[in-house]
Amino acid sequence: MEVLEQIKKAGIVGCGGAGFPTHVKLNCEVEYLIVNAAECEPLLRTDRYLMLNKAKEIITALDRVAELTKAKKVYIALKETYQEEIASLERAIRDQNSKTKLFFLKNFYPAGDEQIMVLEVTGRTVPPSGIPLDVGAVVSNVATVYAIYEALEDKPFTDKYLTVTGAVKSPVIVNAPLGTPLKECIEAAGGVTTQEYHILIGGPLMGKVYPKEMLEQQFVTKTTSGVVIVPDEAHLVKMRETPLHYIQKRAKGSCIQCQTCTQMCPRYLSGHPLSPHKIMRKMAYVNDVTSILNDKDVQEVMTCSECGVCEAYACPMGLAPRQVNIYLKNELRKAGFKYQKDTNQSYQLRQDREYRRIPSHRIAARLGVEQYYDYTIHELKTLMPNKVTILLQQHIGAPAEPVVQTGDIVNKGSLVAKIPDKALGANIHAAISGKVTSVGDGIVVIER
């Protein structure tokens, strides 16, 4: 079976981001094939675990993908501080005589942002609202490459490696079937160590924050990279829960137009025309936001990566340009606006970029999670839940269509939902063996 067909059949999507179907992403020919191994977000350790323990499998799959994409240059980009992981990968590359090379990054945030990584490795700036393919590159996450290895061994994507950390007794890497309640992942880490907390799904900067009362409604998906328990008093919780109307009110009275949010913005520094301080200024002095949607500076907000540098690190007044950007993006989409990328224009990185990189440790301190930063996880716990709630929308594109009914008996790895005809999507498989007890409302529930 062709490699792309095996990837498609297995239901693989990008594990480190929004979940773009991998069989579509890798249907290309490129100059650069880059594996994102920087583990962009502070606190997460999943990719590091995989590089330490699955290096042979990663290199094996990467060689096959390199053949598929006809890549002339193959890099695994990881931080220079990952000494154990570097040694593990170098050993696998040598043993398998692979043409893969390692590219060492400084320990800064957001080193793992796809466009920033392409710039670091190739020296080329991806055009605003563009993708790496626009400059001859394709990027896949470490966990995605490992999933490809399993697909080549005829194993569908049914389990997810993820970090469980923060205010827990014993931070751990878990291997959880898709649909596992996050509560069971937290229990595998010994449970929480604080009474009042929020659940952070993903990393502290770009992950989603939920009150603890919503824990019962959260399940492992293909894109779940980590679960972080954050005490309510942490700055990032207060920052995320501030209402937009209050943010706008504070912007009117407190934004000093220092331009630091722009000067520290990774996309601005890479050469994009995005200027958060201009957006804040225009947002602050309007009552009806629709009156500024035709403004070119405001429309540049569509190129924002939502990395959070502006509000978590840059702004001296504690304002939230990122949340303003997200709000304006949604308003522009409602108005039918589509940003037109210009692949003919050349974008040059700004000269002071080298001196404006933010150390990951410092941004963790600003967020109030520094105490959870310095640790290494070598332990893996494999979970075996009695019940899984599998979401049919775990990826970019159309939700998968169920192919099972209530009462059906399924084995782990059986197809339970397929890609709709002529649609972008991903197959979904049974994460445990058992009986289908519910189908509908965007989920398939299976019990042992």
Side-chain angles (χ1 to χ4, degrees):
M1 187 184 296
E2 294 288 337
V3 173
L4 273 182
E5 188 59 33
Q6 287 176 289
I7 292 171
K8 179 180 180 180
K9 180 183 176 183
I12 299 173
V13 303
C15 294
F20 194 84
T22 304
H23 69 277
V24 177
K25 188 175 193 177
L26 294 181
N27 188 15
C28 60
E29 293 185 12
V30 292
E31 181 181 354
Y32 287 90
L33 171 60
I34 303 170
V35 175
N36 186 342
E39 199 119 56
C40 190
E41 291 268 20
L43 310 189
L44 301 187
R45 299 291 183 270
T46 310
D47 289 352
R48 297 182 67 173
Y49 176 86
L50 290 173
M51 287 186 283
L52 276 172
N53 295 280
K54 305 292 184 182
K56 177 183 176 182
E57 292 86 344
I58 290 167
I59 298 302
T60 298
L62 190 54
D63 286 344
R64 294 290 300 276
V65 175
E67 293 176 13
L68 171 69
T69 59
K70 295 182 171 55
K72 298 179 179 65
K73 301 169 185 176
V74 183
Y75 288 100
I76 298 177
L78 72 169
K79 294 176 181 177
E80 62 185 10
T81 55
Y82 294 177
Q83 293 303 309
E84 289 183 83
E85 293 81 0
I86 289 170
S88 177
L89 290 169
E90 286 181 337
R91 189 160 50 248
I93 290 169
R94 184 174 59 252
D95 290 348
Q96 294 173 234
N97 196 29
S98 172
K99 72 174 184 179
T100 301
K101 295 181 179 180
L102 303 185
F103 187 95
F104 303 123
L105 301 159
K106 298 292 183 183
N107 189 17
F108 68 93
Y109 178 82
D113 175 280
E114 189 174 70
Q115 294 195 13
I116 301 302
M117 182 165 285
V118 169
L119 176 58
E120 291 286 331
V121 175
T122 71
R124 303 169 185 172
T125 295
V126 177
S129 200
I131 58 175
L133 198 58
D134 294 326
V135 293
V138 68
V139 183
S140 275
N141 170 266
V142 167
T144 308
V145 175
Y146 178 69
I148 291 172
Y149 171 82
E150 293 204 312
L152 297 175
E153 297 290 311
D154 293 324
K155 296 178 183 177
F157 192 173
T158 58
D159 299 86
K160 191 74 169 73
Y161 289 87
L162 61 128
T163 306
V164 185
T165 189
V168 294
K169 290 182 180 178
S170 302
V172 69
I173 302 295
V174 301
N175 184 23
L178 299 177
T180 299
L182 288 192
K183 183 179 180 181
E184 294 190 29
C185 297
I186 295 167
E187 289 170 352
V192 299
T193 58
T194 181
Q195 291 295 317
E196 303 302 325
Y197 62 89
H198 276 61
I199 307 108
L200 178 62
I201 302 178
L205 284 136
M206 299 183 74
K208 294 182 179 180
V209 178
Y210 299 92
K212 66 179 183 180
E213 291 77 17
M214 293 186 66
L215 178 57
E216 300 284 348
Q217 303 168 34
Q218 307 303 322
F219 306 94
V220 174
T221 71
K222 294 180 181 182
T223 58
T224 306
S225 54
V227 181
V228 185
I229 301 301
V230 186
D232 284 353
E233 64 268 20
H235 175 60
L236 78 85
V237 173
K238 297 174 183 177
M239 183 175 67
R240 295 288 189 88
E241 294 212 315
T242 304
L244 185 70
H245 68 86
Y246 184 64
I247 291 171
Q248 187 175 6
K249 183 178 179 180
R250 288 184 60 204
K252 289 181 179 181
S254 303
C255 181
I256 57 177
Q257 282 296 295
C258 65
Q259 302 185 27
T260 310
C261 56
T262 295
Q263 292 167 1
M264 298 298 293
C265 172
R267 290 293 166 90
Y268 170 82
L269 291 170
S270 69
H272 290 190
L274 177 64
S275 298
H277 78 281
K278 293 180 182 179
I279 297 167
M280 288 292 284
R281 179 170 61 207
K282 291 173 181 180
M283 180 69 172
Y285 295 101
V286 294
N287 292 320
D288 181 7
V289 72
T290 60
S291 65
I292 59 171
L293 295 184
N294 290 325
D295 187 289
K296 192 174 188 304
D297 288 331
V298 172
Q299 292 174 348
E300 295 293 348
V301 76
M302 298 301 288
T303 68
C304 169
S305 67
E306 303 175 21
C307 70
V309 164
C310 51
E311 66 186 27
Y313 190 88
C315 183
M317 304 304 291
L319 304 180
R322 172 181 175 268
Q323 292 188 56
V324 169
N325 287 0
I326 292 171
Y327 170 70
L328 286 171
K329 276 183 169 183
N330 289 331
E331 291 301 310
L332 284 163
R333 291 188 186 106
K334 288 178 189 175
F337 175 78
K338 291 186 178 180
Y339 192 94
Q340 300 299 316
K341 67 180 177 183
D342 186 352
T343 55
N344 295 318
Q345 183 176 340
S346 177
Y347 298 91
Q348 300 297 321
L349 62 86
R350 289 177 166 84
Q351 293 182 350
D352 53 351
R353 177 178 181 269
E354 180 70 24
Y355 311 104
R356 296 188 183 275
R357 292 177 175 151
I358 303 167
S360 293
H361 185 272
R362 288 180 65 186
I363 203 163
R366 291 283 183 92
L367 291 167
V369 293
E370 182 181 20
Q371 61 183 308
Y372 312 119
Y373 184 82
D374 289 314
Y375 73 99
T376 301
I377 299 177
H378 291 286
E379 182 183 6
L380 174 73
K381 288 191 176 180
T382 300
L383 304 188
M384 298 190 65
N386 289 318
K387 177 181 176 180
V388 293
T389 301
I390 303 174
L391 277 63
L392 300 180
Q393 180 78 71
Q394 300 187 39
H395 49 266
I396 286 178
E401 295 179 341
V403 296
V404 292
Q405 297 178 344
T406 300
D408 287 352
I409 303 299
V410 295
N411 293 317
K412 180 169 183 172
S414 301
L415 185 70
V416 296
K418 66 175 185 177
I419 304 170
D421 291 341
K422 299 180 180 179
L424 178 67
N427 290 329
I428 295 176
H429 302 80
I432 62 174
S433 297
K435 183 178 181 179
V436 177
T437 58
S438 179
V439 178
D441 295 326
I443 61 171
V444 171
V445 179
I446 304 171
E447 297 187 37
R448 293 188 188 277

